[in-house]
Amino acid sequence: RKIGEEEAYSLLRKVAMNEKKKISEIAQSVITAAELLS
């Protein structure tokens, strides 16, 4: 998605809180998904 760094970070934090995971775990799955889509 075309969003800024801060917006992306807050989105990651929100997802991490919802799923009770570390931000790094969420970020890794986002990167993996991005690689699959490209």
Side-chain angles (χ1 to χ4, degrees):
R1 288 194 254 178
K2 302 256 191 259
I3 55 176
E5 193 175 330
E6 284 181 28
E7 196 179 341
Y9 184 71
S10 64
L11 198 64
L12 284 177
R13 274 207 328 240
K14 200 176 357 180
V15 173
M17 282 184 229
N18 290 346
E19 299 194 9
K20 303 277 191 281
K21 290 181 182 173
K22 294 187 187 84
I23 289 176
S24 61
E25 291 176 337
I26 304 296
Q28 187 60 57
S29 47
V30 168
I31 292 167
T32 303
E35 287 173 349
L36 292 174
L37 294 173
S38 61

Coordinates of all heavy atoms in Angstrom, one line a residue:
R1 N 0.8 -1.2 0.0 CA 0.0 0.0 0.0 C 0.9 1.2 0.0 O 1.9 1.2 0.6 CB -0.9 0.0 1.2 CG -2.0 -1.0 1.1 CD -3.0 -0.8 2.2 NE -2.9 -1.8 3.2 CZ -3.6 -1.8 4.3 NH1 -4.5 -0.8 4.5 NH2 -3.5 -2.7 5.2
K2 N 0.4 2.3 -0.6 CA 1.1 3.5 -0.7 C 0.8 4.4 0.6 O 0.0 5.3 0.6 CB 0.7 4.3 -1.9 CG 1.0 3.5 -3.2 CD 2.2 4.0 -3.9 CE 2.3 3.5 -5.3 NZ 3.3 2.4 -5.4
I3 N 1.5 4.1 1.7 CA 1.4 4.8 2.9 C 2.7 5.2 3.4 O 3.7 4.6 3.1 CB 0.6 4.0 4.0 CG1 1.3 2.7 4.3 CG2 -0.9 3.9 3.6 CD1 0.6 1.9 5.4
G4 N 2.7 6.3 4.3 CA 4.0 6.8 4.8 C 4.6 5.8 5.9 O 3.9 4.9 6.4
E5 N 5.8 6.1 6.2 CA 6.5 5.3 7.2 C 5.8 5.3 8.6 O 5.6 4.2 9.2 CB 7.9 5.8 7.3 CG 8.8 4.8 8.1 CD 10.3 5.2 8.1 OE1 10.7 5.9 7.1 OE2 11.0 4.9 9.0
E6 N 5.4 6.5 9.0 CA 4.8 6.5 10.4 C 3.4 5.9 10.4 O 3.1 5.2 11.3 CB 4.6 8.0 10.8 CG 5.9 8.6 11.2 CD 5.8 10.1 11.7 OE1 4.7 10.4 12.1 OE2 6.7 10.8 11.6
E7 N 2.7 6.0 9.3 CA 1.4 5.4 9.2 C 1.6 3.9 9.2 O 0.8 3.1 9.8 CB 0.7 5.9 7.9 CG -0.8 5.6 7.9 CD -1.5 6.1 6.7 OE1 -0.9 7.0 6.0 OE2 -2.6 5.6 6.4
A8 N 2.6 3.4 8.4 CA 2.8 2.0 8.3 C 3.2 1.4 9.7 O 2.8 0.4 10.1 CB 4.0 1.7 7.3
Y9 N 4.0 2.2 10.4 CA 4.5 1.7 11.7 C 3.3 1.6 12.7 O 3.2 0.6 13.4 CB 5.6 2.7 12.3 CG 6.1 2.2 13.6 CD1 7.0 1.1 13.7 CD2 5.8 2.9 14.8 CE1 7.5 0.7 14.9 CE2 6.3 2.5 16.0 CZ 7.1 1.3 16.0 OH 7.6 0.9 17.2
S10 N 2.4 2.7 12.7 CA 1.3 2.6 13.6 C 0.4 1.5 13.3 O -0.2 0.8 14.1 CB 0.6 3.9 13.7 OG 0.0 4.3 12.4
L11 N 0.2 1.2 11.9 CA -0.6 0.1 11.5 C 0.0 -1.2 12.0 O -0.7 -2.1 12.5 CB -0.6 0.1 10.0 CG -1.7 -0.7 9.3 CD1 -3.1 -0.2 9.7 CD2 -1.6 -0.7 7.8
L12 N 1.3 -1.4 11.9 CA 2.0 -2.6 12.4 C 1.8 -2.7 13.9 O 1.6 -3.8 14.4 CB 3.5 -2.5 12.1 CG 4.0 -2.8 10.7 CD1 5.5 -2.6 10.6 CD2 3.6 -4.2 10.3
R13 N 1.9 -1.6 14.6 CA 1.7 -1.7 16.1 C 0.3 -2.1 16.4 O 0.1 -2.9 17.3 CB 1.9 -0.3 16.7 CG 3.4 0.0 17.0 CD 3.5 1.0 18.2 NE 2.4 2.0 18.2 CZ 2.6 3.3 18.1 NH1 3.8 3.8 17.9 NH2 1.6 4.1 18.2
K14 N -0.7 -1.6 15.7 CA -2.1 -2.0 16.0 C -2.3 -3.4 15.7 O -2.9 -4.1 16.5 CB -3.0 -1.1 15.1 CG -4.4 -1.1 15.6 CD -5.4 -0.2 14.8 CE -4.8 0.6 13.7 NZ -5.9 1.4 13.0
V15 N -1.8 -3.9 14.6 CA -1.9 -5.4 14.3 C -1.2 -6.2 15.3 O -1.7 -7.2 15.8 CB -1.4 -5.7 12.8 CG1 -1.3 -7.2 12.6 CG2 -2.2 -5.0 11.8
A16 N 0.0 -5.8 15.7 CA 0.7 -6.5 16.7 C 0.0 -6.6 18.0 O -0.1 -7.7 18.7 CB 2.1 -5.9 16.9
M17 N -0.7 -5.5 18.4 CA -1.4 -5.5 19.7 C -2.6 -6.4 19.6 O -2.9 -7.2 20.5 CB -1.9 -4.1 20.0 CG -0.8 -3.2 20.6 SD -1.5 -1.6 21.1 CE -0.3 -0.5 20.4
N18 N -3.3 -6.4 18.4 CA -4.5 -7.2 18.2 C -4.1 -8.7 18.2 O -4.9 -9.5 18.7 CB -5.1 -6.9 16.8 CG -5.8 -5.5 16.8 OD1 -6.0 -4.9 17.9 ND2 -6.1 -5.0 15.7
E19 N -3.0 -9.0 17.6 CA -2.6 -10.4 17.5 C -1.6 -10.9 18.6 O -1.2 -12.0 18.6 CB -2.0 -10.7 16.1 CG -3.0 -10.3 15.0 CD -2.5 -10.9 13.7 OE1 -1.5 -11.7 13.6 OE2 -3.2 -10.6 12.7
K20 N -1.3 -10.0 19.5 CA -0.4 -10.3 20.6 C 0.9 -10.8 20.1 O 1.5 -11.8 20.7 CB -1.1 -11.3 21.6 CG -2.4 -10.9 22.2 CD -2.2 -9.9 23.4 CE -3.5 -9.7 24.1 NZ -4.4 -8.7 23.5
K21 N 1.5 -10.2 19.1 CA 2.7 -10.6 18.6 C 3.7 -9.4 18.6 O 3.3 -8.3 18.8 CB 2.6 -11.0 17.1 CG 1.8 -12.3 16.9 CD 1.8 -12.7 15.4 CE 1.0 -13.9 15.2 NZ 0.8 -14.2 13.7
K22 N 5.0 -9.8 18.4 CA 6.0 -8.7 18.4 C 5.9 -8.0 17.0 O 5.6 -8.6 16.0 CB 7.4 -9.3 18.5 CG 7.7 -10.0 19.8 CD 9.1 -10.4 19.9 CE 9.4 -11.1 21.2 NZ 9.1 -12.6 21.0
I23 N 6.2 -6.7 17.0 CA 6.2 -5.9 15.8 C 7.1 -6.5 14.8 O 6.7 -6.6 13.6 CB 6.6 -4.4 16.1 CG1 5.4 -3.8 16.9 CG2 6.8 -3.7 14.8 CD1 5.7 -2.4 17.3
S24 N 8.2 -7.1 15.2 CA 9.1 -7.7 14.2 C 8.5 -8.9 13.5 O 8.8 -9.1 12.3 CB 10.4 -8.1 14.9 OG 10.2 -9.0 15.9
E25 N 7.7 -9.6 14.2 CA 7.0 -10.8 13.6 C 6.0 -10.3 12.5 O 6.0 -10.9 11.5 CB 6.3 -11.6 14.6 CG 7.3 -12.3 15.6 CD 6.5 -13.1 16.7 OE1 5.4 -12.7 17.0 OE2 7.1 -14.0 17.2
I26 N 5.3 -9.3 12.9 CA 4.3 -8.8 11.9 C 5.0 -8.2 10.7 O 4.6 -8.4 9.6 CB 3.4 -7.7 12.6 CG1 2.8 -8.2 13.9 CG2 2.4 -7.1 11.6 CD1 1.8 -9.3 13.7
A27 N 6.1 -7.4 11.0 CA 6.8 -6.8 9.9 C 7.4 -7.9 8.9 O 7.3 -7.7 7.7 CB 8.0 -6.0 10.4
Q28 N 7.9 -9.0 9.5 CA 8.4 -10.1 8.7 C 7.3 -10.7 7.8 O 7.6 -10.9 6.6 CB 9.0 -11.1 9.6 CG 9.7 -12.2 8.8 CD 10.9 -11.7 8.0 OE1 11.8 -11.0 8.5 NE2 10.9 -11.9 6.7
S29 N 6.1 -10.8 8.3 CA 5.1 -11.4 7.5 C 4.6 -10.4 6.4 O 4.3 -10.8 5.3 CB 3.9 -11.9 8.3 OG 3.5 -10.9 9.3
V30 N 4.7 -9.1 6.7 CA 4.4 -8.1 5.7 C 5.4 -8.2 4.6 O 5.0 -8.1 3.4 CB 4.4 -6.7 6.3 CG1 4.3 -5.6 5.3 CG2 3.2 -6.5 7.3
I31 N 6.7 -8.3 4.9 CA 7.7 -8.4 3.9 C 7.6 -9.6 3.1 O 7.7 -9.6 1.9 CB 9.1 -8.4 4.6 CG1 9.4 -7.0 5.2 CG2 10.2 -8.7 3.6 CD1 10.6 -7.0 6.2
T32 N 7.3 -10.7 3.7 CA 7.1 -12.0 3.0 C 5.9 -11.8 2.0 O 6.0 -12.2 0.9 CB 6.8 -13.1 4.0 OG1 7.9 -13.2 4.9 CG2 6.6 -14.4 3.3
A33 N 4.8 -11.3 2.5 CA 3.6 -11.1 1.6 C 4.0 -10.2 0.4 O 3.6 -10.4 -0.7 CB 2.5 -10.5 2.4
A34 N 4.7 -9.1 0.7 CA 5.1 -8.2 -0.4 C 6.0 -8.9 -1.4 O 5.8 -8.6 -2.6 CB 5.9 -7.0 0.2
E35 N 6.9 -9.8 -1.0 CA 7.7 -10.5 -1.9 C 6.9 -11.4 -2.7 O 7.1 -11.6 -3.9 CB 8.8 -11.3 -1.1 CG 9.9 -10.4 -0.6 CD 10.8 -11.1 0.3 OE1 10.6 -12.3 0.7 OE2 11.8 -10.5 0.7
L36 N 5.9 -12.1 -2.2 CA 5.0 -13.0 -2.9 C 4.2 -12.3 -3.9 O 3.9 -12.8 -5.0 CB 4.1 -13.7 -1.9 CG 4.8 -14.7 -1.0 CD1 3.7 -15.3 0.0 CD2 5.4 -15.9 -1.8
L37 N 3.8 -11.0 -3.6 CA 2.9 -10.3 -4.5 C 3.7 -9.6 -5.7 O 3.1 -9.2 -6.7 CB 2.2 -9.2 -3.7 CG 1.1 -9.8 -2.7 CD1 0.5 -8.6 -1.9 CD2 0.0 -10.5 -3.5
S38 N 5.0 -9.4 -5.5 CA 5.8 -8.7 -6.5 C 6.2 -9.5 -7.6 O 6.1 -10.7 -7.6 CB 7.0 -8.0 -5.9 OG 7.9 -9.0 -5.4

